[in-house]
Amino acid sequence: MTNVQKRYEEAKARYAAIGVDTEKALEKLQTIKISMHCWQDDDVKGFMNPDGELTGGIMATGNYLGAARTPAELRQDVEKAYSLIPGKHKLNLHAIYLDTDEKVDLNEIEPRHFTKWVDWAKEQGVGLDFNPTFFSHPMMKDGYTLAHPDKEVRDFWIEHGKRARKISEYFGRELGETSIDNFWVPDGMKDNPIDRMSPRRRLMESLDEIFAEDLDERYTKDAVESKLFGLGAEAYTAGSHEFYMGYGLTRNKLICLDAGHFHPTEVISNKLSSLALFSKGVMLHVSRPVRWDSDHVVIMDDELQEIGKELVRNDLLSKTNIGLDFFDATINRITAWVIGMRNTQKALLKAMLEPTQELRNMENKFDFTSRIVYTEELKDFPYGDVWNYFCEKNNVPVGLDWYTEVQKYEKNILSKR
Ligand code: RNT
Ligand code: ZN
């Protein structure tokens, strides 16, 4: 028996004493796929323009060595990260990450520009998700894409949106696993608008055009993502939460909640149960807001744990597509991925190791004393031993050992880029 196994056996007994079956929790965790966002590895630049500049709508800061410069480097890094994360997952691609020698613009992309990604995904046994890219492009004019007053601008982006759906459908068909196609649009204004409604109406109509064609939902599902603010859109964002709640509910789309897109004290964990009552499903962008920014690496904070609990307690995992969304260019980018992925899994595991029914019974009897006693004591239960065992079982490094692997990789590969 390894040390990790020994500790697991002790933890298992402690959990069993409060009615928690650790084996069951591990079985469940094994089935959970998280969509890892490709854009952490190159600071959201993509491969469409050789100098890949961020020219509007989104921003990453920092210049840590080793960012991926080509699709091949990105895949190499993703494989490294996957080797340090237990389980099989998905990769979330953005349109600007196409892999082709052809010079194509966003309104010209086709499935064939992504065949190499599909071949790779098959080889890896992972699924793919997709996102049209509505930023860093000269056709983003005056802070607007789909909501621009000029029809020519809107039409460019509408065409892009339609093509993105076809690519997502192609992913799903080829890989036999639904690809979520997530729409986020930065459109907004830096300062207080006079007219908040017209851009919203235009955004709604543009989206309706994009979604006019019904695609097979076994292959692709559309999601729509809201935001309260953005870089250069501090005062007004057309695609706000209310906008997309309304849009997603009336158009039968998945609603994407990004943890960093709300007022600083507003949390998405508290929205999941409401959405579950009314929406067909949710996509999550697990992220972390700091001040006005929304894209810090996911750490084991209270909100992450609360998200995990809401998903597990309400049995929402099968209706929820969990993805990550952050981009920190000041640290080794692979560590950013591994920390975010492993933390998200750990938060789910922690939730799965809770005697939920017992806690529910206390609450139903209005025994709030027991409820707080148990929830506080549970915080000290040895979930880490269960997690380490899960890593060992999945043949990925336990504890800090994963970092040694990344350090080697940085020395041998990243620092030579
Ligand atoms: C931006 C949104 C969006 C992006 C990605 C790159 O605020 O969160 O999801 O991060 O599309
Ligand atoms: Zn997001």
Side-chain angles (χ1 to χ4, degrees):
M1 216 190 250
T2 65
N3 258 339
V4 169
Q5 285 166 333
K6 243 188 260 151
R7 297 186 94 111
Y8 169 68
E9 290 303 327
E10 280 168 31
K12 184 175 165 177
R14 280 194 63 194
Y15 278 108
I18 53 163
V20 172
D21 184 342
T22 52
E23 292 291 321
K24 247 204 191 136
L26 291 177
E27 247 169 61
K28 199 156 166 198
L29 187 62
Q30 197 73 57
T31 66
I32 307 294
K33 294 189 178 206
I34 299 172
S35 192
M36 194 168 89
H37 56 313
C38 73
W39 52 91
Q40 162 60 54
D41 204 40
D42 75 328
D43 319 328
V44 213
K45 290 183 180 135
F47 307 122
M48 201 151 228
N49 312 310
D51 16 88
E53 284 208 28
L54 302 180
T55 56
I58 212 160
M59 187 68 209
T61 53
N63 62 348
Y64 199 86
L65 65 84
R69 295 161 302 178
T70 61
E73 286 182 355
L74 177 51
R75 284 191 283 267
Q76 188 185 19
D77 293 351
V78 172
E79 285 175 31
K80 186 74 217 176
Y82 281 160
S83 75
L84 307 173
I85 298 160
K88 279 275 175 210
H89 299 279
K90 287 177 107 179
L91 184 70
N92 201 356
L93 286 174
H94 238 281
I96 47 173
Y97 289 83
L98 77 188
D99 187 355
T100 177
D101 297 330
E102 274 176 65
K103 181 96 191 95
V104 280
D105 207 344
L106 289 174
N107 62 341
E108 299 164 338
I109 52 168
E110 291 181 39
R112 67 192 162 89
H113 303 122
F114 292 86
T115 49
K116 289 191 197 146
W117 281 112
V118 167
D119 292 343
W120 172 84
K122 283 179 183 166
E123 203 184 280
Q124 293 286 312
V126 300
L128 293 175
D129 290 317
F130 199 60
N131 304 255
T133 305
F134 294 97
F135 50 79
S136 298
H137 192 281
M139 280 303 270
M140 180 181 189
K141 291 191 193 284
D142 318 294
Y144 283 118
T145 62
L146 290 175
H148 199 282
D150 184 345
K151 183 166 184 311
E152 196 189 314
V153 176
R154 291 200 304 280
D155 282 348
F156 173 89
W157 293 108
I158 289 169
E159 184 60 28
H160 175 55
K162 289 181 176 171
R163 283 169 183 262
R165 295 183 75 217
K166 290 289 163 70
I167 293 163
S168 181
E169 181 192 43
Y170 158 70
F171 286 176
R173 179 178 296 124
E174 286 290 320
L175 299 172
E177 184 173 353
T178 315
S179 160
I180 309 299
D181 193 16
N182 182 57
F183 284 71
W184 171 71
V185 176
D187 296 26
M189 287 193 225
K190 184 182 182 69
D191 220 333
N192 301 328
I194 303 300
D195 182 0
R196 288 188 160 85
M197 190 144 164
S198 300
R200 288 191 168 134
R201 180 172 291 118
R202 288 192 292 267
L203 178 57
M204 174 184 79
E205 289 170 357
S206 294
L207 289 169
D208 283 347
E209 270 195 58
I210 292 173
F211 297 134
E213 186 181 349
D214 278 331
L215 298 180
D216 192 329
E217 294 222 321
R218 278 176 304 168
Y219 305 136
T220 182
K221 281 190 187 142
D222 308 299
V224 288
E225 179 181 8
S226 68
K227 195 169 182 177
L228 176 68
F229 57 84
L231 198 71
E234 291 84 359
Y236 166 75
T237 293
S240 61
H241 182 55
E242 293 70 19
F243 177 89
Y244 280 121
M245 276 286 279
Y247 194 87
L249 294 180
T250 53
R251 270 67 168 182
N252 203 27
K253 301 294 177 197
L254 299 178
I255 291 175
C256 175
L257 296 175
D258 184 309
H261 287 189
F262 296 86
H263 288 285
T265 58
E266 188 178 356
V267 284
I268 65 166
S269 52
N270 191 25
K271 301 180 188 298
L272 295 170
S273 47
S274 300
L275 271 166
L277 294 176
F278 302 108
S279 81
K280 81 187 269 178
V282 163
M283 161 105 206
L284 289 185
H285 273 185
V286 183
S287 184
R288 177 169 54 104
V290 174
R291 310 288 177 210
W292 77 272
D293 194 13
S294 65
D295 296 303
H296 287 64
V297 177
V298 166
I299 58 173
M300 185 57 78
D301 57 11
D302 286 349
E303 172 59 0
L304 181 66
Q305 296 181 59
E306 212 54 35
I307 291 171
K309 286 178 196 162
E310 287 297 310
L311 294 176
V312 172
R313 287 174 183 169
N314 298 310
D315 201 14
L316 296 178
L317 283 163
S318 61
K319 274 184 86 178
T320 308
N321 303 277
I322 307 175
L324 304 185
D325 184 13
F326 48 79
F327 25 100
D328 187 340
T330 69
I331 59 174
N332 178 300
R333 293 174 185 78
I334 295 169
T335 66
W337 266 335
V338 176
I339 291 168
M341 291 288 283
R342 287 176 63 131
N343 273 340
T344 304
Q345 290 179 290
K346 272 193 246 184
L348 292 170
L349 175 63
K350 275 182 122 166
M352 290 168 182
L353 294 173
E354 176 189 89
T356 305
Q357 196 47 50
E358 282 74 8
L359 296 175
R360 228 186 260 275
N361 293 344
M362 294 167 195
E363 185 163 284
N364 289 341
K365 283 189 271 178
F366 309 107
D367 179 6
F368 303 138
T369 308
S370 301
R371 184 181 66 180
I372 192 172
V373 168
Y374 272 80
T375 50
E376 284 310 292
E377 279 305 314
L378 266 169
K379 290 179 179 168
D380 303 326
F381 268 61
Y383 93 94
D385 293 335
V386 182
W387 168 254
N388 287 341
Y389 175 69
F390 185 65
C391 289
E392 193 172 272
K393 251 178 69 170
N394 277 277
N395 293 314
V396 303
V398 171
L400 271 172
D401 290 355
W402 69 261
Y403 185 43
T404 316
E405 292 299 313
V406 181
Q407 284 173 314
K408 272 192 242 158
Y409 188 76
E410 177 171 315
K411 187 157 169 277
N412 299 333
I413 310 277
L414 299 178
S415 67
K416 296 188 178 138
R417 283 185 184 163

